[in-house]
Amino acid sequence: MTLTTAKWSIQDYHRMIASGILAGRQVELLSGEIIEMSPEGESHAYCSDEAGEYLIYLLGNKAKVRQAKPITLPDSNSEPEPDIAIAQRLGQNYREHHPYPENIFWLIEYSDSSLTKDLEVKTKIYAAAGIPEYWVINLRSMQLIIFREPMAEGYQSQEILTQGSITPLAFPEITVSIAKLLGN
């Protein structure tokens, strides 16, 4: 017997949210499937919060730093909630829609219990959507994993850093401290 799961569209997902079916549940839509999100541990909450504040300070008015808010990836029927999304400042346009791939400069996920999902599932979804840059902070090994050069099947470039700094592709004039991203 073969089991087939029901796939949900972004519109279906929004109707479920609006009707209250998903109230009180921490979920996100990935490739048409509603996935439970892992609860944030102390280290995850601390590091992602500190990094968000740091990036707001660094980027100023150059970009909007959205923390734990949805993004919409229509081609994959996905509406994930990355820990940090650095997006275009579109003001009140975000009252009508979450950032689309063309609005996103780069994404950051903090990972401990969600490491497999963030490195395997989300990497493919984000690359296929054309997100130019995706950073994963592995809280187990305190590493920054940088994915660049998106293709339909995944990112072509991967680099692992534990110290120093990194320059985001969208903002070559900005230098981001890896220690600050790691919560040090």
Side-chain angles (χ1 to χ4, degrees):
M1 176 172 158
T2 302
L3 297 177
T4 305
T5 58
K7 296 288 186 176
W8 303 100
S9 71
I10 292 170
Q11 294 76 22
D12 294 332
Y13 184 63
H14 287 179
R15 282 194 295 275
M16 285 183 223
I17 292 168
S19 71
I21 291 172
L22 300 174
R25 299 188 72 175
Q26 292 295 316
V27 297
E28 59 189 344
L29 184 68
L30 299 177
S31 299
E33 296 182 2
I34 298 171
I35 307 295
E36 294 277 352
M37 292 173 26
S38 302
E40 281 187 349
E42 290 84 356
S43 181
H44 182 286
Y46 170 78
C47 291
S48 63
D49 187 55
E50 290 295 310
E53 286 186 23
Y54 169 63
L55 291 169
I56 290 168
Y57 168 77
L58 268 184
L59 292 166
N61 286 327
K62 296 177 191 298
K64 177 77 175 160
V65 178
R66 293 172 48 103
Q67 298 183 65
K69 302 283 186 242
I71 60 172
T72 301
L73 310 175
D75 290 346
S76 67
N77 264 330
S78 295
E79 200 163 274
E81 294 188 21
D83 291 311
I84 300 174
I86 296 81
Q88 293 173 335
R89 289 189 162 278
L90 296 181
Q92 291 193 21
N93 287 343
Y94 290 138
R95 292 181 88 156
E96 303 299 322
H97 66 83
H98 300 304
Y100 295 124
E102 61 269 20
N103 306 128
I104 299 168
F105 296 115
W106 86 92
L107 300 174
I108 303 173
E109 293 281 8
Y110 279 79
S111 299
D112 188 353
S113 60
S114 65
L115 189 60
T116 301
K117 176 176 72 170
D118 292 338
L119 289 177
E120 294 176 14
V121 177
K122 286 189 173 181
T123 302
K124 290 178 183 163
I125 291 170
Y126 294 158
I131 305 297
E133 193 162 13
Y134 172 44
W135 299 357
V136 176
I137 285 74
N138 180 341
L139 292 168
R140 296 176 190 172
S141 60
M142 295 309 284
Q143 296 176 322
L144 168 61
I145 306 164
I146 301 152
F147 295 95
R148 291 178 169 165
E149 300 176 41
M151 303 289 284
E153 63 279 353
Y155 286 93
Q156 299 303 300
S157 169
Q158 177 183 331
E159 184 178 3
I160 298 175
L161 301 171
T162 57
Q163 59 187 353
S165 60
I166 181 75
T167 301
L169 295 174
F171 303 100
E173 71 281 8
I174 302 287
T175 302
V176 179
S177 164
I178 293 167
K180 293 261 191 190
L181 293 176
L182 297 175
N184 299 328

